[in-house]
Amino acid sequence: MSSVTELIGRIEFYIINPLIGVLFAAALLLFFWGGAQFIMNAGNEEGRSVGKKHMIWGIIGLLIMIGVYGILGILGGTFGFSTP
């Protein structure tokens, strides 16, 4: 049984945690890109609208990932699992 636990730990450490970091960075990058588009297109309503949409989706992505971390923390604390 210890080998299964070790395998799950390695999958979490080498695959899942880096993937979560990349997704978090992508959402943050999308937010900043939307902010840059909003500022660069200050005189163009269509360009500002696209920038707003990117910023909103970036915030939504960040909030979802923070919520998942919170849920994993609650489940890990309740059932005794290690959490990232």
Side-chain angles (χ1 to χ4, degrees):
M1 192 66 147
S2 142
S3 62
V4 172
T5 305
E6 184 179 326
L7 176 65
I8 291 172
R10 286 185 181 187
I11 289 172
E12 176 187 1
F13 183 76
Y14 290 110
I15 296 173
I16 294 174
N17 287 343
L19 183 62
I20 290 172
V22 167
L23 291 175
F24 193 82
L28 192 61
L29 184 64
L30 181 65
F31 173 76
F32 284 131
W33 176 249
Q37 283 182 325
F38 185 80
I39 292 171
M40 288 188 299
N41 295 311
N44 182 357
E45 184 62 36
E46 184 179 330
R48 285 184 18 208
S49 175
V50 171
K52 283 181 192 178
K53 287 180 184 178
H54 286 154
M55 289 191 310
I56 289 171
W57 282 111
I59 290 172
I60 289 171
L62 291 170
L63 289 176
I64 288 172
M65 285 184 276
I66 290 170
V68 168
Y69 266 128
I71 291 170
L72 288 176
I74 291 170
L75 290 175
T78 301
F79 297 111
F81 299 125
S82 66
T83 58

